[in-house]
Amino acid sequence: MKRTQEMTSVQPDWENFLPRPISDKIPFFSRDGRVYDCLFAQQFSRDLLAHLFRTADALREVTQKKGGADHVSSLLSDKRAMLYFAQPSTRTFMSFLNACHILGMKTSEIRDTSTSSEVKGETPEDTVRTFSSYVDMIIMRHPTPGFVEKTAWLMNRTGRPVPVVNGGSGKDQHPTQALLDTYTLYRSFNGELDNKHIVMVGDLKRGRTVRSLSYLMKNYKNISLSFVSPKEFRMEADILDFLKRHGIPYQETEDFAGVMRTADAIYMTRIQDEHDKAGESKGVDYSPFYFRQEHLKQIKKTCVILHPLPRRHEIEVSVDDDPRAVFWRQERNGMWARAALMAHIFGVDEKIA
Ligand code: NCD
């Protein structure tokens, strides 16, 4: 995985690099035709998604037998990953951790940066670079938008780069969540992802999962999106501009009952009040944006209900028993999809089937 001279020599400083369009940045985070640092949902093409979904399917199949599981767990047994999670996480953390273990990677973790030398005045960038010395991959969740990207950018300029995977950065992106969400749609719709009406519900302004998922939808044909949210938490203009540029029709509405009838998938999210500046979420009535038992009668027989979890009250618990509620399967799909991605990054995906 050698960088070409051309790529390294044209890279500007971080301040000049950061504002560039994502499409210009992607080559810097790719190697040998593969994703190297997984930072943005825009890095996933239709072909790559199809390949990762097939790889994830193969992984779950092959590992059902001990011989297959042993083979898969030898694929990356020479690699070590660091999970650097500077923001609350249990499910994404566990999902990545177990994905690493499926492939035989050894793991170490940082979950509380207050115990590191950052408290002695070290910059977060130096801290991450120090930790990177021990590992072959960094999986990172960070509250500051852009920090994961900056880490990847920084690592790529060192003599010993390691791939960086974004496990959720601030309010901006959560690409592996979008990957597993789309993998769940793929499994729910027997591989047919075109011609779908996807309804996203909740705090669309501050939810990074719905942002990344919107980006991924450009890979499919004849998609329409409905964004259902309180007016305070509408989808941000940058995503709406992206959809306009790619000719993806969308509507914004508060009428959840109205749009759910034609939905092929309903993607529920919780209110993201950890991003409140002055308790603004408290003034918002979120209850019109709940999915309730009675709604099951109104949606299509083939419609699926997703949620990145954790859930609060936005889906009534009794809904879980309906076969169209796929959020628990979605959770498990995440582990396989992440394992497929890591196998791709390290170039061992062809050894799985
Ligand atoms: C999401 C996140 O962290 O953005 N959760 C997750 O990754 N499982 C969604 C959320 O916290 O609401």
Side-chain angles (χ1 to χ4, degrees), residues 91-92 141 174 177 208-209 270 272 274 308-310:
R91 69 214 69 241
T92 303
R141 167 171 287 203
H174 197 350
Q177 179 72 43
R208 54 196 173 194
T209 66
R270 70 177 172 89
Q272 307 277 320
E274 68 269 38
L309 303 175

Side-chain angles (χ1 to χ4, degrees), residues 44-306:
F44 295 115
S45 65
R46 184 178 172 112
D47 286 350
L48 176 58
L49 289 167
H51 172 69
L52 293 175
F53 298 161
R54 281 194 301 272
T55 307
D57 281 347
L59 274 171
R60 59 204 308 165
E61 175 78 30
V62 169
T63 53
Q64 275 177 20
K65 296 223 168 70
K66 184 165 181 334
D70 287 346
H71 163 67
V72 166
S73 71
S74 73
L75 293 176
L76 293 178
S77 55
D78 57 332
K79 303 287 183 217
R80 292 184 298 277
M82 169 174 73
L83 284 84
Y84 185 103
F85 274 57
Q87 215 187 6
S89 177
T90 42
R91 69 214 69 241
T92 303
F93 177 84
M94 287 290 286
S95 176
F96 270 115
L97 188 75
N98 284 289
C100 289
H101 294 168
I102 288 169
L103 297 164
M105 262 196 281
K106 279 98 186 163
T107 49
S108 51
E109 58 188 75
I110 305 287
R111 308 201 62 182
D112 178 4
T113 50
S114 70
T115 61
S116 100
S117 286
E118 282 176 58
V119 293
K120 296 186 196 163
E122 186 178 53
T123 62
E125 289 81 2
D126 276 9
T127 304
V128 173
R129 188 164 175 183
T130 305
F131 297 154
S132 77
S133 318
Y134 312 128
V135 297
D136 306 292
M137 170 176 262
I138 298 174
I139 300 163
M140 178 178 270
R141 167 171 287 203
H142 206 277
T144 311
F147 187 82
V148 183
E149 182 189 341
K150 188 174 184 186
T151 301
W153 175 85
L154 199 85
M155 291 306 309
N156 280 332
R157 292 164 65 97
T158 69
R160 188 183 175 279
V162 300
V164 176
V165 177
N166 182 355
S169 57
K171 288 179 282 184
D172 58 343
Q173 282 251 12
H174 197 350
T176 64
Q177 179 72 43
L179 174 69
L180 75 92
D181 295 340
T182 312
Y183 180 47
T184 303
L185 295 175
Y186 161 90
R187 286 181 69 85
S188 304
F189 301 141
N190 295 320
E192 183 46 73
L193 286 161
D194 296 328
N195 310 310
K196 298 287 183 276
H197 174 208
I198 315 279
V199 176
M200 301 191 200
V201 189
D203 185 346
L204 307 180
K205 185 182 175 68
R206 304 176 299 179
R208 54 196 173 194
T209 66
V210 284
R211 292 173 57 79
S212 289
L213 185 58
S214 299
Y215 285 128
L216 273 203
M217 287 301 114
K218 80 153 198 315
N219 291 302
Y220 301 104
K221 298 189 186 108
N222 192 26
I223 295 290
S224 62
L225 300 176
S226 294
F227 295 127
V228 185
S229 71
K231 60 181 181 319
E232 294 83 351
F233 299 134
R234 282 164 64 173
M235 186 56 97
E236 291 278 20
D238 60 338
I239 298 288
L240 303 180
D241 287 346
F242 174 89
L243 297 172
K244 279 182 211 146
R245 278 203 310 279
H246 288 88
I248 302 170
Y250 65 85
Q251 59 171 326
E252 296 183 270
T253 178
E254 292 186 42
D255 178 16
F256 188 19
V259 292
M260 69 169 69
R261 290 168 209 281
T262 57
D264 295 300
I266 300 176
Y267 191 95
M268 301 294 297
T269 66
R270 70 177 172 89
I271 198 154
Q272 307 277 320
D273 48 11
E274 68 269 38
H275 297 296
D276 276 7
K277 292 197 177 72
E280 55 270 32
S281 298
K282 289 199 181 67
V284 176
D285 179 11
Y286 210 60
S287 61
F289 308 98
Y290 289 175
F291 191 94
R292 303 176 194 282
Q293 171 79 27
E294 73 220 36
H295 292 142
L296 288 169
K297 292 196 289 292
Q298 295 167 34
I299 63 171
K300 288 196 209 173
K301 287 202 168 54
T302 51
C303 177
V304 286
I305 307 159
L306 290 88

